Structures are given as C-alpha cells and as structure tokens.
Amino acid sequence: MAPVNKAASLSEPKAYPLKIDSSPYPTAGDGEIIVKVAAAAVNPMDWYIQLLGNDLFNWIQYPYIGGTDIAGTVVEVGPNVSKFKVGDRVVGLAGGFKPRFGGFQNYAALEVKTVTPIPDDLGFAEASVVPLGIATAACALYQKDFLALDHPSLNPKPNGKTLLIWAGASSVGTNAIQLAVASGYEVYTTSSPKNFDYCKQLGAARVFDYHSPTITQDLIEAFKGKTCAGGFVIHQGSEKIVFKVVRQSQGNKFVACAVNPTNVPEGVQAKMVFAGTLRDNEVGPLIFDQFLPAALSQKKYQCLPKPLVVGHGLEHVQVALDKGKSGGVSAQKLVVTL
C-alpha cells in the first residue's frame, strides 16, 4: 500500500490560504526517484504564483503544488536510475509544474538529472537552500549561449578574468559568486554594506554598495585594466548600470539576466536565464553530478544563504510565503521542515 501523501496546494488561481489536504502519492517514472521531503525552501516565484495566478503563467493547472527546492530521503527508485538507492539523503531541483513534482508535500517525484547526494553531516534544511539558486546561476554562467565560462573545479586556478555579479547577497548571487570563484574568476559584486563581509566570505574580491550614487562610475573605474568576463544581473532595475559597465570594459560584452532585459545598448548582448534549461544540456550533469557532490562532501561549497526555518509542517508553508512577500529577509532563505 502506498504511503499517505498530503500537500499544501493552491486549489484555484490566487487562492488564499493554501489548502492542506491529501494528495495522490507519486510513482517513480523513468529516470525519477520519489523523495520523502524533509525540508523545502521557499522562493519568490512561489508567492508570485499565489498572488498573480494566471496573470503570471496562464498555463498553470490546478490544484497546483509549489516548491522547487527539496531535500529529503529516497524512498523509491524508478526505471533507469543507477545513481541513487532507497535510503540515500539527497537535495534536488523539482521539475516543472505538475503536482507530483512540487516540494510542498510529504512525498515528491524528482528527475535524477537535477538531484545530488548530500553528506551525512549536512542537515536537510541547510541543503534545501541550494537547488534553484545554483541552477539559475549555473545556467547564466556556463550555458554556451550565455556567459560560457570555464567550468568549476575543486582546485581552481585564476584565469585572469573578472566577472561582475549584481546582488551578491541574494540567493542566486550567493551561488553565482561561489561558482565563478570555483571556475577561476575574480568576482566583483554589489550588495548593501551590511552584506559586504558575507559576499567576501563567499569569495568576492571586491564588493560595492549598490545604493551609492556613484556606483556606475565606481564599477567602470574598477574594471579599468581588467579583462571582463561579462555581467550577471539578478535584481530588476540594475540592468542599465551593468550594461554600461560591461560596454565600457575590455572583454566579453555579454550580460546574463535573471530578469527580462530591456533597452539593451548597442554593442552589448543580453538574455534572460531560466533555471530549468540545464535539464536539457550538459550544465545539469556538470553541476549535479560532477561538481556539487564532491564540493559538498569536501566542504568546498557553502549552502547559503542560511536557512531561516519558519516552522515544521505543511501549515507553515503559507506562513513562509507571507513572510517572503512582506520582504525584509536579507542573506537568508525561508525554509519549512516536514
């Protein structure tokens, strides 16, 4: 008999609060595992979907179960899966918008191509902060039609190039800094002054105050004599500055954007990044198979921003969404344990 599954779901567009009810127990398809969810992180997309519903994505089917960042224990292994067995502790990026993949439930299906094993001394809540952040950053940094950077390694050698990452203390920025440094790049980033030390601890060489009235000129000056590896925009509204800096620097004139780029100046290329695309190219295995397992076990990759555990149980998912929506969470990621 299948275990009893419960989920926190949206029964219809813009429903509030989330409904906690029984949900079909997922079966493991080809290349999939079933995970008993121990922790799920909350991302802005989760509260935007609740707030905006079909105005944001008109193809969402209801009931909808959110949650893209999942950590837990493997309870079932599907056909053609050799890299995991029942009992393994894992963290993964949930795939797509089907209910069976959502993290806000007791049991979820995961495609193994975006799952990584975690060491025994790494807590589920700590691990759960990584998947969407690292996937978004990796797509921007390594995909051939984006920044196409050198691949990360456990013992990187400096390559003499400097990357600009806007919003280094964000979840995506946190992962982007660590990946870029593991790939041998010098990283210049921006944050509020209270997060300068945090960004430096991640490996950033220099951190600039993004509220400074002279930020554009400061960055242009800083890149003089440097070979620019390109830019990565994470926060809406910063594109204009990054475009200007990259355009006036020597090197790669490409800017990867976690937002939709508009008014891209002549001489600069910019494209919006989507985390899920690494499922279909070499970047997925590069991160989840080749780099992350060893980096986590050898303590060469930090699971940050730190989890802020909102509570234990599905009823706390709505609390976490509300907290995220209200803002004020800095250099932390909201997590619910199950």
Side-chain angles (χ1 to χ4, degrees):
M1 231 175 79
V4 174
N5 191 28
K6 276 189 149 181
S9 66
L10 283 168
S11 51
E12 60 186 15
K14 305 184 187 180
Y16 184 93
L18 294 173
K19 187 178 176 190
I20 296 160
D21 210 344
S22 59
S23 186
Y25 177 81
T27 51
D30 197 11
E32 294 177 352
I33 53 175
I34 304 300
V35 171
K36 187 176 194 306
V37 181
V42 167
N43 291 287
M45 193 58 72
D46 295 312
W47 59 80
Y48 287 136
I49 286 172
Q50 183 174 34
L51 274 172
L52 301 170
N54 291 28
D55 302 337
L56 184 64
F57 299 129
N58 60 8
W59 35 260
I60 289 182
Q61 311 235 305
Y62 295 88
Y64 168 76
I65 301 171
T68 45
D69 289 344
I70 298 174
T73 307
V74 178
V75 291
E76 200 182 309
V77 173
N80 299 312
V81 173
S82 55
K83 74 177 195 178
F84 296 112
K85 62 185 188 309
V86 171
D88 283 351
R89 302 172 79 252
V90 297
V91 64
L93 177 72
F97 285 79
K98 293 177 182 159
R100 57 198 296 277
F101 290 126
F104 302 148
Q105 58 187 328
N106 298 124
Y107 295 92
L110 282 173
E111 293 180 27
V112 293
K113 54 175 89 164
T114 53
V115 180
T116 223
I118 57 174
D120 290 342
D121 61 353
L122 179 60
F124 288 124
E126 284 77 20
S128 72
V129 305
V130 172
L132 187 62
I134 200 171
T136 308
C139 285
L141 270 49
Y142 303 118
Q143 287 184 144
K144 290 188 173 75
D145 54 344
F146 280 82
L147 288 164
L149 301 189
D150 299 341
H151 288 175
S153 78
L154 300 178
N155 300 295
K157 292 181 175 54
N159 61 20
K161 294 174 183 171
T162 307
L163 180 71
L164 175 57
I165 297 170
W166 189 281
S170 64
S171 175
V172 174
T174 291
N175 285 280
I177 293 172
Q178 292 193 83
L179 286 175
V181 169
S183 298
Y185 293 83
E186 179 181 47
V187 172
Y188 286 0
T189 193
T190 64
S191 76
S192 57
K194 68 176 180 192
N195 289 324
F196 279 9
D197 288 345
Y198 173 80
C199 292
K200 285 183 176 160
Q201 175 211 332
L202 296 166
R206 292 185 68 180
V207 192
F208 298 80
D209 179 1
Y210 50 32
H211 297 302
S212 165
T214 58
I215 182 67
T216 310
Q217 207 44 50
D218 294 347
L219 286 167
I220 289 168
E221 283 297 318
F223 269 89
K224 279 190 176 152
K226 298 281 181 185
T227 302
C228 180
F232 185 17
V233 167
I234 294 158
H235 280 176
Q236 190 92 43
S238 59
E239 315 91 294
K240 204 168 144 190
I241 297 171
V242 177
F243 292 157
K244 204 174 270 188
V245 176
V246 167
R247 192 181 181 202
Q248 294 197 31
S249 302
Q250 293 299 313
N252 186 10
K253 308 284 191 216
F254 189 94
V255 178
C257 300
V259 294
N260 193 21
T262 54
N263 302 320
V264 183
E266 203 180 317
V268 174
Q269 266 188 299
K271 259 174 87 173
M272 187 172 175
V273 66
F274 294 96
T277 50
L278 52 56
R279 284 191 191 93
D280 306 314
N281 58 41
E282 73 287 351
V283 178
L286 167 71
I287 296 301
F288 288 95
D289 296 344
Q290 294 155 35
F291 176 70
L292 201 50
L296 289 176
S297 66
Q298 293 181 33
K299 306 283 180 282
K300 293 195 171 180
Y301 200 87
Q302 302 175 68
C303 296
L304 292 169
K306 277 194 170 134
L308 176 58
V309 177
V310 177
H312 185 78
L314 290 168
E315 65 276 13
H316 287 95
V317 176
Q318 186 63 65
V319 180
L321 295 184
D322 292 344
K323 196 173 177 65
K325 229 174 344 197
S326 65
V329 178
S330 173
Q332 281 185 313
K333 192 152 184 175
L334 300 168
V335 171
V336 173
T337 58
L338 299 178

